[in-house]
Amino acid sequence: MADATLREEIEKIDAKFVSLFNKQDAVGIAELYSVDSKIMPNGMDVQKGRNGVAKVYQNMFDAGGATIKVTIDESDDSVLFDGKYVVLWKKVEGQWYIYNDIINFNK
């Protein structure tokens, strides 16, 4: 698979993630994660599987919803997120899923 094609696939999933996040659809977001995924949010224990992912996002939405925008490789001088964010992807039966998701805020 060419890198451009892989990038396009990931960007499509990112766009779906943004749409679901902005609708505050925790269950829908969880479906973008593999069944054996782990999410490691700031200030919480590691959550496993889609139920754990849905729990993290539902807690976030319940605390006061936000909206997001995902951009890849774009330079911008503004800082909207001060922290670290790492996503590992896993391909299962021809479909890409988020496998590990790590979110840490600096402040």
Side-chain angles (χ1 to χ4, degrees), residues 7-20 32-33 89 95-98:
R7 181 183 171 120
E8 289 169 2
E9 287 185 52
I10 298 299
E11 286 176 343
K12 283 180 188 177
I13 299 167
D14 280 342
K16 189 170 186 178
F17 178 93
V18 168
S19 175
L20 292 164
L32 301 176
Y33 287 70
W89 295 84
Q95 174 66 41
W96 285 101
Y97 293 93
I98 300 169

Side-chain angles (χ1 to χ4, degrees), residues 24-31 33 37 39 44 47-62:
Q24 298 189 357
D25 184 349
V27 173
I29 291 171
E31 291 297 316
Y33 287 70
S37 62
I39 186 167
M44 288 181 69
Q47 299 294 311
K48 297 178 181 178
R50 290 179 174 154
N51 287 338
V53 170
K55 176 182 172 184
V56 167
Y57 283 101
Q58 192 60 56
N59 286 344
M60 189 182 307
F61 299 145
D62 291 347

Side-chain angles (χ1 to χ4, degrees), residues 57-77:
Y57 283 101
Q58 192 60 56
N59 286 344
M60 189 182 307
F61 299 145
D62 291 347
T67 59
I68 62 167
K69 175 182 175 186
V70 175
T71 57
I72 299 174
D73 294 335
E74 287 191 19
S75 297
D76 188 335
D77 292 337

